[in-house]
Amino acid sequence: MSATSYGWLVLAFPLAGLFVTSFGWRVLPGRLPGWLASAAIGLAFLASIGALVQLQDLPAEERSVVDSAWTYVGTAGVGADLAILVDPLSVFMCLVVSGVSFLIHVYSVAYMASDRGYARYFAYLNYFVFSMLLLVLAANFVLLIVGWAFVGAASYLLISFWYRRTTATYAGIKAFVMNVIGDVGLLIAAFLLLNETGSLGYAGVFEGAEDAFTRNDGTLVAACLLILVGAFAKSAQLPLHTWLPDAMEGPTPVSALIHAATMVTAGVYLIARTHPLFELAPTAADIGAIIGALTLFFAATVALAVTDLKRIIAYSTISQIGYMVLGVSVAAYGAGLFHLMTHAFFKALLFMGAGSVIGAMAGLQDIDRMGGFRRAMPFTFVTFTAGALALAAFPLTAGFFSKDEILAFTINRGGWYWALAIVGYVAAGLTAFYAFRMVFRVFYGDPVPEARELEEGHLAHGEPQNPMSGEPEDADVGFPGPEHHIAERSWPMKAAMGPLALLALVAGVVQIPGVTDVIEHFLEPTFEDSRFHDTAPTEGSELIGLVVGGLLAIAAIAVAFTVYLRRPGTADRLRERFAGVHAFLFNKWYFDELYDAVFVRPTATAGSFGRRVVETDFVQGFIVGGATGLVRAGTSFARAIQTGYLRAYALLLLLGLAGLALYFLIASS
Amino acid sequence: MTIHLSIVLFLPLAAGLVGAALGARLVRWVVLAGTVLVLAYALVILVDFDAGSAGLQYVTDDEWISELGIRYELGVDGLNLFMIVLTAVAWVPCTLVACFREHERPRLFFFNVALAETAVLGAFMAQDLALFIVFFDLMLVPFYFLIGGWGQGDRVRATTKFVIYTLAGSLLMLAGAVALGVLSTPDGGQISFSLAELEQRSVSEGTQQWIVLLFALAFFVKAPLFPLHGWVPDTYRSTPIVVLALLSGVLSKVGVYGFLRIVLPVMPEGSQHWQELFIIVAVFSILYGSVLAFSQDNVRLVVAYSSIAQLGFIVLGIFALDDKGAQGAVFQMLNHGLVVVPLFLIIGVIALRANGSESVARLGGMAFRAPVLAALFLLVTFATLAMPGSANFVGELLVLFGAFEDKLVYGLVASVGVVLAGVYMIRVFQRTMHNREGPPVESRDVGGLDLAAIAPLVAVIVALGVYPHFVVERTEAATVQKIEQARAFGGEQEARAPGGQRTSLPPPGDEP
């Protein structure tokens, strides 16, 4: 079978899983929907490997194959096929997406076991994976936008999965709307590119762009900035990030899958995919790099202050994606995508660990309430710490190699890119600090009652209530299930977390500068046209970067150790002394409040103004009132002899006469 | 086989007459059978249709009132093919649902439903301006009775408003049509209302301008577009839901269809003259409709105002005077009908489960015990907000691409409407299906009857989302031809060469 046949299979399996789980929701017994859905994704992963093998058999310059199923739309100069593109970049993404998704499906089989919406959950999850794979396999902008919107829809459905929580449905709408803003950005960008290059397919656009645009052509920069709008909306970069922390309303495996490992990295993929355009429009690429740097710093600072375990990890995700965006924007494609991969491993793992802890806390997520779970949950503790080490870029872990490669590349671009790299290093220190803030606060210290109960062999069952709003809940459809699951007691959860912990620790070995470079070499055919080969860092400078990054990580972990373990209470004293700063960070730099004042309220006000004033006074009062008033006056004589509905016919007669009079008037002139 | 359009045109009316004669118990089934046969015939036309041809197919052309030059001329091309199919598709589920509801005076009710289908089909098929107007006004009669006789709430007020308002519009059009027919008659020639003939004849540019305006008033009222939508809130509130599905899903398309069929090809200079104004009206409708849809409490009115926005998109696509835009508009006319009909049927189902309440503030939580209903509603919601992957997205993409081509700024403003559509549609879905159950809600899933009515429509929506090319390849030839005619600017009469061959010149720049 050819590489593209495998590509179609990659799409077909999750789609089949979606159909089976959604149409079989009533007949499939017990946990079967979960296992079927997992199998579908597992098969997609195998098909991705098949595509990889087939692709590697081809000569390097032919490793980009397009296959079209049928014409999706072709009219009036707008042409797009239902076509997939199999090349190293898309295969790489397929492997990461389907691999991590498979593990998260397996984790969910146990985690969601008691939820009454079990089959619905797996239908949504399969739909998501299908959409994500469609996004990365799409061979043209139209299909890309379709996949782009589908993942947004899947994300909406999964965020508001527990739909009888108003907090969840509100968060879902927020995410959906932000994503639609991104869709529109992409749509306009696609038009600008079609207009100038005459094509909507990647190959056609990239070839046409060479001829159609000069360097930094205004239209191209505009198109690239619009692509960035799409990318930033999906990847939760400033200023379109506010939906992601709220998206934590979804079940924890969803956060692991969509809001950490896969969907949110779509923006990074998009920039890498359209890199020929960004290299022709360096201004846009620079803006991307600057926003990436700002975001990674902003989110790292917020992660220092918030106390909701999942939201800390969410801000961490925003921050880490900032690194990736910075990377692909400064042409460190291999490094950016490598970080995408390692981040998928350790961030999914951190969320799974958090899910396990939240299960032990009976749904509570506030780290101020947690502590001392080290002995009660040894497996979760070990795996979570492995994830935190990788996040902190502790030497020799996966995050260590990937993050520092991005920063080394940034430095090597020279000039003002230095400043971005410094921001990156500062935030790297903060990252290591907040990563271990979580570890020390959750697993060390005095065991909280829930931890003690667990040590005695009972799993805590709290009052069913919404942790965000405190509303009481029952355990029927639309609410979280009655039972909570922890990795220590559910082998599927263990089976998913174990491999990820291993990968988080050792996956870096595939890309040791000057030694392995597997990812770099594999992706080479996609990025060989890059104009920035000569600014790639030398092995020596990469090694220096690694040393600096490693030392930073160790120092920051040591500081966290001091603050939270050696001198407990330091954090509280700091919080009191810098109350203003803390409030600023704790309120996430007041972005939500800002948007509420700038966008939400004006729209609502315009709506109510329209409803109360324009509709009532103008449309109904002036126009309708005027028209019917005229009619009433004109038909008053008719009403004298006719009554009721008949006046309408009188009107007809009258206006008919008027029309004829008009005609004679004109005809005679 | 030979296809006779007259058969499909008068079949519903015949079914209505026969049914009414057979009595109160049988009438509904006879009318339903009529709509099913129309659908079957429409599908035969769809299969048989020659996609490559821009000209009219299955033409019926007979003399009717020869003294006035009015002909009985019917035909199908890419412009109205899917409008006919939409009409046939929409009438079946709506009639089916109506069959299982109790109505007073069922004979009159179902006769009017049948008459309405004939009237709408006639308006779409007519190739003679006078015939078009006859059917256009005939549409009003059954709806007048249906709203006035079986409506709810303040139905007298609603009916009066609806009839007077739309009648005023169509009489203006009548005046315009008469003037057009007379003024275009060459010296010593015979007056004609045949559209093909009118396209060849010419009227001075100044005359075209005010005639276009008369037509536009009628079509904007019918569509409806801001600020001529004053009849909408009362009418939507009062109309029985199955009738409303037809009114909003199908009837609203007749007006905008008239632009493509009549206004652009017959009066190109006049159309170009008002291009900017009509685009502004369209863009304003998009924004105004979206913002108001966002702040409505009644579910029906959310859909009502969203329709104003959607029709704004269609008019924007038409008056972009660009192939892409017009193709998008023609596609959206179909897509909007296909989503609005199930949307209203679903609202009907919701209201049945909420003790008649249609207020989003009092609804909620229906997905709890009605997952199938929620799933169907979700798919329709996604299609309505034109989510990529739906056919509506392809239509909107073409409309926006058409608008961007020459009118970039208007296109960009209109694309704000795309975002707002996401807000108001998801809001309605969430407020009805999600959250806790509202006080009047008694959640139970969709029954077999409603499923039989709604599910096939949803299946069509999904199928078109997978293969939208099916539609656009059939509409292309005719649509592009109309746009070519409209773009060929004949500032002077002589520029309009005989035989419809007009020189292709770029449209004028920014006219007020």
Side-chain angles (χ1 to χ4, degrees), chain A residues 181-258:
Chain A
I181 292 174
D183 296 346
V184 173
L186 278 185
L187 184 72
I188 301 171
F191 169 76
L192 293 176
L193 295 172
L194 170 71
N195 208 21
E196 300 290 333
T197 66
S199 172
L200 284 168
Y202 292 139
V205 167
F206 298 155
E207 271 169 35
E210 296 284 334
D211 307 324
F213 300 112
T214 52
R215 207 179 118 89
N216 262 338
D217 180 286
T219 311
L220 181 64
V221 172
C224 286
L225 290 178
L226 287 162
I227 290 177
L228 285 183
V229 171
F232 288 172
K234 191 74 53 187
S235 290
Q237 300 291 289
L238 287 176
L240 300 172
H241 66 282
T242 55
W243 65 271
L244 183 61
D246 287 356
M248 298 301 126
E249 285 290 335
T252 305
V254 169
S255 310
L257 175 61
I258 301 184

Side-chain angles (χ1 to χ4, degrees), chain B residues 221-372:
Chain B
V221 168
K222 199 85 183 177
L225 257 65
F226 179 87
L228 302 175
H229 63 279
W231 57 273
V232 167
D234 283 343
T235 308
Y236 271 56
R237 253 188 233 116
S238 295
T239 310
I241 201 90
V242 288
V243 179
L244 184 54
L246 299 172
L247 179 71
S248 178
V250 187
L251 254 73
S252 61
K253 309 303 172 302
V254 180
V256 283
Y257 163 78
F259 279 119
L260 281 168
R261 173 64 73 202
I262 300 161
V263 174
L264 292 194
V266 175
M267 294 168 284
E269 290 95 333
S271 309
Q272 287 195 14
H273 181 79
W274 298 111
Q275 180 189 17
E276 201 89 3
L277 174 72
F278 292 167
I279 287 183
I280 290 172
V281 168
V283 170
F284 215 93
S285 296
I286 294 171
L287 295 183
Y288 186 80
S290 303
V291 170
L292 275 193
F294 176 68
S295 61
Q296 293 301 317
D297 180 54
N298 187 312
V299 186
R300 290 180 182 213
L301 290 192
V302 176
V303 182
Y305 284 102
S306 93
S307 295
I308 294 175
Q310 293 301 316
L311 284 150
F313 270 110
I314 294 172
V315 171
L316 175 66
I318 293 173
F319 279 96
L321 297 183
D322 177 87
D323 295 351
K324 296 188 279 295
Q327 270 287 74
V330 172
F331 198 15
Q332 270 315 70
M333 283 156 63
L334 170 67
N335 291 331
H336 181 252
L338 282 177
V339 296
V340 162
V341 173
L343 213 46
F344 276 118
L345 294 179
I346 289 169
I347 291 173
V349 175
I350 290 174
L352 278 182
R353 280 148 183 71
N355 207 6
S357 176
E358 288 165 354
S359 144
V360 287
R362 292 167 57 75
L363 295 171
M366 287 210 177
F368 182 41
R369 296 267 180 259
V372 177

Side-chain angles (χ1 to χ4, degrees), chain A residues 21 64 90 207 219 222 272 315 317 322 336 339 360 386 396 417 445 450 488-489 511 546 554 574 606 621 632 653:
Chain A
T21 43
S64 175
S90 61
E207 271 169 35
T219 311
Y315 276 101
T317 303
H339 195 54
L396 303 182
Y417 291 98
E450 285 86 352
E488 276 66 20
R489 297 183 178 193
Q511 178 76 3
L546 285 177
I554 294 169
L574 285 173
R632 291 230 168 85
L653 194 72

Side-chain angles (χ1 to χ4, degrees), chain A residues 336-383:
Chain A
L337 290 165
F338 178 45
H339 195 54
L340 187 157
M341 181 183 88
T342 59
H343 174 258
F345 298 153
F346 65 70
K347 194 51 68 68
L349 175 64
L350 284 173
F351 267 116
M352 288 178 177
S356 190
V357 173
I358 291 166
M361 294 292 295
L364 289 182
Q365 305 184 0
D366 191 341
I367 59 167
D368 284 345
R369 291 280 317 276
M370 298 175 188
F373 274 108
R374 188 162 36 127
R375 266 198 303 279
M377 307 177 75
F379 182 81
T380 306
F381 168 62
V382 170
T383 48

Side-chain angles (χ1 to χ4, degrees), chain A residues 74-87:
Chain A
T75 180
V78 180
D81 281 3
L82 194 70
I84 58 168
L85 164 66
V86 178
D87 73 347

Side-chain angles (χ1 to χ4, degrees), chain A residues 57 116 149 153 275 401 444 475 522:
Chain A
D57 280 352
R116 293 278 304 274
H275 71 277
F401 290 104
Y444 287 81
F522 175 65

Side-chain angles (χ1 to χ4, degrees), chain A residues 384-602:
Chain A
F384 193 91
T385 309
L389 283 170
L391 171 62
F394 193 80
L396 303 182
T397 59
F400 170 69
F401 290 104
S402 54
K403 185 195 290 179
D404 286 307
E405 202 180 337
I406 293 173
L407 295 177
F409 216 104
T410 311
I411 290 178
N412 251 50
R413 284 291 294 272
W416 55 272
Y417 291 98
W418 259 98
L420 301 184
I422 289 170
V423 173
Y425 276 116
V426 171
L430 299 178
T431 305
F433 180 84
Y434 71 68
F436 276 82
R437 171 177 175 240
M438 289 190 288
V439 173
F440 295 146
R441 293 292 297 273
V442 173
F443 293 100
Y444 287 81
D446 295 329
V448 290
E450 285 86 352
R452 254 193 232 111
E453 251 185 87
L454 201 55
E455 282 174 49
E456 290 161 13
H458 324 288
L459 188 55
H461 287 281
E463 288 294 308
Q465 61 171 22
N466 183 341
M468 297 311 294
S469 61
E471 286 173 282
E473 297 175 345
D474 62 34
D476 216 316
V477 187
F479 284 131
E483 294 165 33
H484 297 280
H485 295 267
I486 61 172
E488 276 66 20
R489 297 183 178 193
S490 305
W491 68 264
M493 288 168 77
K494 269 190 186 169
M497 289 166 73
L500 282 177
L502 195 67
L503 286 169
L505 291 177
V506 305
V509 298
V510 297
Q511 178 76 3
I512 299 171
V515 184
T516 45
D517 280 332
V518 174
I519 305 284
E520 201 90 51
H521 282 148
F522 175 65
L523 292 172
E524 191 75 64
T526 305
F527 299 111
E528 66 185 349
D529 53 350
S530 170
R531 293 152 198 233
F532 294 97
H533 278 307
D534 46 336
T535 60
T538 60
E539 279 155 24
S541 61
E542 278 193 52
L543 289 176
I544 295 171
L546 285 177
V547 172
V548 175
L551 289 176
L552 257 175
I554 294 169
I557 293 171
V559 173
F561 180 74
T562 315
V563 169
Y564 292 106
L565 292 187
R566 233 160 51 124
R567 300 205 188 117
T570 317
D572 293 334
R573 280 198 300 281
L574 285 173
R575 197 181 303 174
E576 273 163 37
R577 233 178 112 193
F578 300 102
V581 178
H582 178 259
F584 183 66
L585 297 182
F586 190 77
N587 288 297
K588 304 123 187 172
W589 296 31
Y590 296 103
F591 269 102
D592 281 324
E593 288 76 5
L594 182 72
Y595 287 172
D596 194 53
V598 177
F599 298 112
V600 180
R601 270 185 228 172

Side-chain angles (χ1 to χ4, degrees), chain A residues 117-130:
Chain A
Y118 191 72
R120 182 168 60 97
Y121 174 83
F122 281 99
Y124 289 171
L125 219 52
N126 269 353
Y127 170 55
F128 168 76
V129 178
F130 165 73

